[in-house]
């Protein structure tokens, strides 16, 4: 076991709670630990926090830790801790609800185990040292080395998560927070079953109100919550998802019953996804784990937390200074678009100009200003996995309730649009497929773009991305019009237009 370095600070539970997001990258904390194995007893242990996995400031810390059991006065190993591994995952709850949340986490983990779903074993319980001013309770779980969370692209492995959820339901439990990061995939795991998956975060697992296995309506609702974690384009796989779930539950039924169940699952999945988007967009306008937000009499700033830094702070103080030597991409009356460098990376900044005082008054009374809508729409598409130039920051200059100029800072995806590529090399099948998938994503998400001219489709190494989101809105009414406007880009080339129309039709997209 490697020794703890003297340079690593030691924090009490109260220090961890008070630090908020400013926790050191590595620190040690002394806790009272009770091993979970036979013959174990209460002991004092020092934990070295090596990697913070999740953090809810002042309330919850999840981290990979290394344990150094021993008496502080002698340094000799404390007996009875054989069940506690040297490396573990610590889930530490802080504050008035620490005991209750810790107990709920332990109950959820026990339900997962009882359902026959693989999850990290509980190895020990911890509490803060005597005399702590902040309540602290925690659990030590087995660390699954090399595991990674499921991603949107893990189509076959996702069926393993579906099977695991079915086992929970059969045992009379539900998962209230079944996001993909709660399913860990072991290296070298097979595809399709749940043998390679570990379910973590027992906090969201609860026993259903009705004893026994879950009924179909409640089961489909919880399955829809899991399915809504994937991008809208993945909804085409819902029939396969339902078949895997029904097989795990042993459900039988004719073709008509299965078709109706898939329709119900599709409706529920879309409803759950809309609710997820609403919650996420609310977070995208306030200070939270992912976003930094500050409000003063003179400005409103929200940005990706990883984009915060001294260069952004200087930009906020004098945003137009950066425009003086920037590459101008568009100079219009309503907006000016430039390319510059911020926080060590190229970005595109769209300045929403203010024409007069009357416009400032209109922006003050409008429920969502145009630039705020663009910020939210960029976050919406990124959250849904629909390719776009993700907004990094939004600065609104203000005088109290009156809004002045606004600056939307976005990822720089280059300046090669689809029209330029088609003119130079034509439209190959791979690129056309990317365009179709993009429109499929909009259709499944129930979104209308409003301006699908070809210059709003940028070609990047990752594929085709959709930009200029000021007019994008949740609506299905204008989706066919979006596709017709895209086809109109090729009016001068009837053969290419027919080819694109046929690709839309083959994907079930009417024009």
């Amino acid at each position: 076991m490697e020794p703890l370095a003297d340079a690593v600070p030691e924090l009490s539970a109260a220090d961890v709670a008070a630090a908020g997001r400013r926790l050191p990258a590595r620190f040690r904390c002394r806790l009272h630990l009770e091993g979970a194995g036979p013959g174990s007893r209460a002991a004092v242990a020092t934990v070295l926090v090596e990697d913070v996995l999740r953090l809810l400031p002042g309330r919850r810390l999840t981290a990979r830790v290394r344990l150094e059991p021993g008496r502080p006065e002698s340094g000799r190993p404390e007996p009875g801790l054989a069940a506690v591994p040297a490396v573990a995952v610590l889930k530490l709850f802080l504050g008035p609800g620490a005991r209750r949340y810790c107990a709920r986490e332990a109950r959820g983990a026990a339900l997962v185990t009882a359902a026959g779903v693989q999850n990290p074993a509980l190895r020990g319980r911890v509490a803060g040292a005597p005399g702590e001013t902040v309540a602290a309770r925690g659990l030590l779980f087995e660390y699954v080395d090399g595991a990674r969370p499921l991603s949107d692209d893990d189509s076959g492995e996702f069926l393993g998560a579906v099977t695991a959820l079915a086992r929970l339901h059969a045992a009379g439990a539900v998962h209230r927070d079944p996001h993909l990061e709660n399913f860990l995939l072991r290296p070298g795991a097979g595809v399709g079953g749940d043998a390679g998956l570990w379910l973590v975060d027992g906090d969201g697992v609860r026993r259903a109100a009705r004893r026994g296995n879950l009924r179909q309506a409640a089961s489909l609702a919880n399955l829809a919550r899991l399915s809504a974690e994937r991008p809208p384009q993945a909804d085409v796989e819902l029939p396969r998802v339902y078949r895997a779930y029904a097989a795990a539950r042993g459900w039988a039924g004719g073709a008509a019953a299965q078709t109706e169940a898939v329709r119900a699952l599709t409706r529920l999945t879309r409803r759950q996804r809309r609710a997820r988007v609403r919650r996420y967009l609310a977070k995208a306008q306030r200070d939270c784990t992912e976003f930094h937000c500050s409000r003063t009499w003179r400005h409103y700033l929200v940005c990706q937390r990883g984009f915060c830094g001294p260069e952004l702070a200087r930009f906020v103080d004098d945003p137009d200074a950066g425009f003086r030597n920037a590459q101008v991409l568009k100079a219009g009356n309503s907006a000016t678009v430039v390319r510059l460098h911020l926080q060590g990376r190229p970005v595109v900044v769209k300045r929403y100009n203010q024409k007069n005082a009357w416009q400032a008054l209109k922006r003050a009374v409008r429920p969502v200003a145009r630039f705020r809508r663009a910020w939210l729409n960029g976050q919406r598409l990124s959250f849904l996995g629909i390719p776009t130039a993700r907004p990094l920051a939004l600065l609104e200059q203000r005088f109290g309730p009156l809004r002045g100029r606004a600056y939307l800072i976005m990822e720089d995806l280059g300046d090669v649009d689809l029209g330029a590529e088609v003119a130079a090399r034509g439209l190959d099948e791979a690129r056309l497929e990317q365009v179709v998938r993009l429109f499929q994503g909009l259709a499944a998400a129930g979104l209308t773009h409003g301006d699908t001219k070809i210059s709003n489709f940028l070609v990047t190494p990752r594929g085709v991305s959709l930009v200029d989101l000021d007019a994008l809105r949740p609506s299905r009414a204008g989706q066919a019009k979006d596709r017709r406007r895209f086809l109109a880009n090729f009016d001068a080339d009837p053969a290419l237009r027919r080819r694109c129309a046929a690709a839309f039709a083959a994907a079930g997209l009417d024009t």
Side-chain angles (χ1 to χ4, degrees):
M1 182 182 301
E2 68 179 30
L4 296 176
D6 293 336
V8 177
E10 183 169 319
L11 306 182
S12 66
D15 294 332
V16 173
R21 300 186 193 281
R22 298 182 300 276
L23 277 175
R26 299 172 83 234
F27 63 92
R28 53 166 85 156
C29 186
R30 184 156 291 146
L31 298 168
H32 279 232
L33 182 149
E34 181 178 347
S40 62
R41 64 181 180 82
V44 176
T46 298
V47 296
L48 170 64
V49 174
E50 296 184 318
D51 186 18
V52 175
L53 304 176
R54 291 183 188 174
L55 177 66
L56 186 59
R59 295 175 56 189
R60 188 174 69 223
L61 167 71
T62 305
R64 188 186 76 238
V65 301
R66 186 174 294 275
L67 289 142
E68 189 187 63
R71 294 189 180 94
E73 68 276 8
S74 67
R76 292 195 301 272
E78 190 72 62
L81 291 177
V84 181
V87 180
V89 171
L90 169 66
K91 195 157 190 179
L92 185 66
F93 300 89
L94 303 161
R99 188 185 297 272
R100 176 164 54 91
Y101 291 128
C102 185
R104 191 169 72 185
E105 176 81 27
R107 285 196 301 271
L111 287 173
V112 174
T113 301
V117 176
Q118 189 168 225
N119 65 326
L122 177 62
R123 297 301 195 189
R125 300 170 184 264
V126 298
E132 286 275 17
T133 57
V134 171
R137 291 289 187 279
L139 303 170
L140 287 165
F141 289 100
E142 174 186 6
Y143 174 64
V144 186
D145 191 23
R148 64 167 179 83
L150 282 184
S151 68
D152 294 340
D153 299 328
D154 291 325
S155 179
E157 293 83 351
F158 180 75
L159 298 183
V162 170
T163 300
L165 192 68
R167 291 185 177 183
L168 281 181
H169 293 169
V174 294
H175 202 311
R176 296 187 179 183
D177 189 22
H179 56 77
L180 298 184
E181 289 187 354
N182 282 338
F183 294 90
L184 299 183
L185 183 65
R186 293 186 307 171
V191 175
D194 65 341
L197 285 180
W198 298 65
L199 177 59
V200 299
D201 196 4
D203 179 70
V205 179
R206 312 287 172 79
R207 186 169 294 284
R210 177 182 175 271
R211 294 291 179 178
N213 59 26
L214 220 57
R215 291 181 176 175
Q216 183 171 12
S219 298
L220 288 182
N222 201 212
L223 177 59
R225 192 160 185 171
L226 174 62
S227 299
E229 297 288 324
R230 304 183 74 201
Q233 300 94 313
D235 286 356
V236 297
E237 298 179 12
L238 286 176
R240 183 184 176 205
V241 167
Y242 175 76
R243 288 194 298 271
Y245 180 87
R249 290 294 301 272
W251 288 353
Q258 289 189 20
T259 299
E260 183 56 37
V262 170
R263 287 175 180 167
L265 178 60
T266 302
R267 288 194 302 270
L268 291 167
T269 298
R270 290 179 174 176
R271 183 185 304 167
Q272 288 285 353
R273 188 177 289 117
R274 288 194 295 269
R276 288 187 68 232
V277 169
R278 285 194 299 270
R279 292 192 294 269
Y280 184 76
L281 295 186
K283 288 170 53 179
Q285 300 178 82
R286 59 177 172 81
D287 202 68
C288 61
T289 301
E290 186 172 350
F291 298 98
H292 164 75
C293 182
S294 66
R295 294 178 174 88
T296 70
W297 182 263
R298 302 306 301 269
H299 80 253
Y300 167 87
L301 170 70
V302 61
C303 65
Q304 296 283 332
R305 190 165 291 279
F307 192 66
C308 290
E311 289 187 28
L312 180 62
R314 288 193 291 272
F315 181 87
V316 171
D317 289 339
D318 187 7
D320 288 330
F323 274 57
R324 295 183 188 118
N325 298 316
Q327 177 189 356
V328 178
L329 303 179
K330 174 184 176 183
N333 290 329
S334 60
T336 303
V337 183
V338 301
R339 174 178 286 120
L340 49 82
H341 272 74
L342 274 178
Q343 294 301 119
R345 62 187 293 181
V347 296
V348 170
V349 183
K350 184 174 185 179
R351 182 180 67 196
Y352 293 80
N353 300 321
Q354 180 178 300
K355 299 176 183 177
N356 49 49
W358 173 242
Q359 188 180 40
L361 182 60
K362 288 194 296 183
R363 286 174 174 175
V365 299
R366 193 171 292 160
V368 182
R370 180 183 171 198
F371 39 79
R372 184 74 69 90
R373 189 183 308 118
W375 163 262
L376 293 175
N377 282 335
Q379 302 303 337
R380 183 197 305 270
L381 291 196
S382 296
F383 184 68
L384 293 173
I386 299 174
T388 190
R390 185 168 192 179
L392 302 171
L394 172 67
L395 170 65
E396 300 175 6
Q397 293 182 326
R398 291 188 168 191
F399 186 75
L402 298 178
R403 297 184 177 102
R405 284 177 167 178
Y407 303 80
L408 182 65
I409 304 173
M410 298 166 284
E411 291 178 316
D412 184 359
L413 299 183
D415 48 15
V416 179
D417 64 49
L418 185 62
E421 182 180 79
V422 170
R425 295 192 292 274
L427 185 64
D428 61 33
E429 286 303 317
R431 193 68 79 203
L432 178 56
E433 183 181 350
Q434 291 170 2
V435 172
V436 170
R437 282 205 305 269
L438 199 155
F439 276 103
Q440 282 179 315
L442 292 174
L447 298 173
T448 294
H449 181 269
D451 188 11
T452 51
K453 60 186 178 185
I454 202 163
S455 60
N456 284 333
F457 294 78
L458 293 184
V459 177
T460 77
R462 294 176 291 181
V464 178
S465 292
L466 186 62
V467 296
D468 195 0
L469 308 180
D470 293 17
L472 185 140
R473 66 191 188 279
S475 170
R476 296 186 184 277
Q479 290 180 343
K481 184 178 179 181
D482 270 355
R483 294 188 285 270
R484 288 194 297 272
R485 173 65 184 91
F486 179 79
L487 294 176
N489 290 304
F490 307 112
D491 283 347
D493 188 343
L496 181 55
R497 178 185 173 122
R498 287 194 298 271
R499 185 168 152 234
C500 292
F504 284 153
L509 302 172
D510 66 292
T511 55

